[in-house]
Amino acid sequence: MSVHAVKRTQAHLAWDNSIPPVLHVASGDTVTFNCLDASNGQITPASTAAALAALDFARLDQVNGPVHVAGAAPGDVLRVDVLRVAPAHWGWTACLPGFGLLADEFPAPALKLWALEWDDAAGAGHAWFDDARRITIPLRPFAGEMGVAPGKDGAFSTIPPYRTGGNIDTRHVCAGATLYLPVEVPGALFSIGDGHAAQGDGEVCGTAIETPVRVTVRLTVLKDRPYVQTPHFRTPAAPAEEYYCTTGVDSDIREATRAAVRHMVAFLGAEHGLARVDAYMLCSVAGDLRMHEVVDMPNYVIGMMMPKSIFTHGK
């Protein structure tokens, strides 16, 4: 087994099987990626909300790589063991006009900068969402973008997810997790990026705690997993958590989801004194969206679950 590294500058802005690999590795090798945040360095610790209007969206969600894994062939599966993810000392969350589940209700740009307190040796840390109200967010960093090149020729945006991975934005694929990706081209051509220090399931406002990351993965070719046709993953064990949950009930699953988030925004304002836009961003970085009821038609029940442990004043 060998250990390799991919630099920040070794990045690209599309999933495209014609992009030459920056690295060739053997199956079972370990690779460390040094990744910028999803803004590709356009947001800095000194930025204000005015920077959001100047964002070049064509530069967002770059990924580092691709890495060619020897022996990977179409029909195989690439096993990605996430060994370590370390965030930077800072991060950002934003409401971007036109993005997010409640984009029509939050049309104005808003930017929140975070100071991230991370203990690399312990693999743990936290960030204060609101020091005065004693709301703290436990850090569980992960890479939102992990994928392999598609078999179809052409350049495909890094913004959405695909059956080969991409912007899966799944917070459970953190250190200790394993991701399985279906291979469609020789060498798999694996890339990674979009570091998050913390995120709730759903990422409802369109951003998490975005941050540069250093992430180490082990890449292994599997020949015996034909059932992996989309990204599969195995999660690490997590401690039990108590939640406060709001729900949305509607025959339209999107409207039920919007209602669940809207009700949580109202709860956070009433019970914790948060402004609506702050409550909305808190939903994105800490709240989990879950499908609670999908069989008793005509209505769906969607829940927005907020972990009670983040409200440290209640301890």
Side-chain angles (χ1 to χ4, degrees), residues 124-306:
H126 73 279
W128 285 104
F129 179 82
D130 189 316
D131 196 356
R133 293 182 173 87
R134 308 300 293 169
I135 302 175
T136 186
I137 305 299
L139 301 185
R140 199 181 190 195
F142 69 98
E145 294 259 11
M146 286 191 276
V148 294
K152 187 176 181 180
D153 291 341
F156 298 89
S157 170
T158 57
I159 299 298
Y162 303 95
R163 64 181 301 275
T164 50
N167 197 16
I168 58 175
D169 273 346
T170 301
R171 72 182 184 93
H172 306 287
V173 189
C174 56
T178 299
L179 177 67
Y180 302 90
L181 298 169
V183 175
E184 294 190 351
V185 298
L189 300 181
F190 174 81
S191 298
I192 191 170
D194 188 23
H196 296 162
Q199 181 198 292
D201 285 337
E203 195 186 23
V204 296
C205 84
T207 57
I209 300 181
E210 311 290 335
T211 183
V213 291
R214 290 181 62 87
V215 54
T216 301
V217 300
R218 183 187 302 115
L219 303 175
T220 306
V221 178
L222 303 178
K223 301 287 186 179
D224 58 350
R225 306 291 172 91
Y227 53 84
V228 178
Q229 298 294 313
T230 59
H232 291 198
F233 62 89
R234 189 192 342 257
T235 65
E241 177 67 85
E242 184 178 359
Y243 293 86
Y244 184 90
C245 181
T246 57
T247 64
V249 181
D250 200 281
S251 59
D252 183 312
I253 194 168
R254 176 173 169 80
E255 288 308 311
T257 306
R258 282 164 54 89
V261 176
R262 192 180 297 119
H263 296 157
M264 181 58 75
V265 168
F267 166 78
L268 292 170
E271 295 295 325
H272 296 282
L274 295 181
R276 288 191 80 237
V277 68
D278 290 335
Y280 185 40
M281 286 194 282
L282 182 59
C283 287
S284 198
V285 304
D288 292 336
L289 276 173
R290 303 286 172 85
M291 300 175 73
H292 289 317
E293 176 57 72
V294 297
V295 296
D296 291 334
M297 295 297 98
N299 289 335
Y300 298 89
V301 179
I302 305 296
M304 165 54 76
M305 303 171 63
M306 189 64 63

Side-chain angles (χ1 to χ4, degrees), residues 87-150:
H89 67 280
W90 72 281
W92 61 272
T93 302
C95 288
L96 299 171
F99 283 80
L101 190 65
L102 301 181
D104 55 327
E105 299 182 20
F106 293 89
L111 177 67
K112 180 176 181 60
L113 295 173
W114 302 76
L116 307 181
E117 299 184 24
W118 179 255
D119 184 332
D120 201 38
H126 73 279
W128 285 104
F129 179 82
D130 189 316
D131 196 356
R133 293 182 173 87
R134 308 300 293 169
I135 302 175
T136 186
I137 305 299
L139 301 185
R140 199 181 190 195
F142 69 98
E145 294 259 11
M146 286 191 276
V148 294

Side-chain angles (χ1 to χ4, degrees), residues 6-36:
V6 174
K7 301 175 183 178
R8 281 188 175 184
T9 55
Q10 296 175 306
H12 54 99
L13 287 161
W15 297 102
D16 187 337
N17 61 35
S18 70
I19 297 174
V22 300
L23 191 64
H24 287 74
V25 304
S27 177
D29 280 0
T30 296
V31 185
T32 295
F33 297 80
N34 187 0
C35 307
L36 277 171

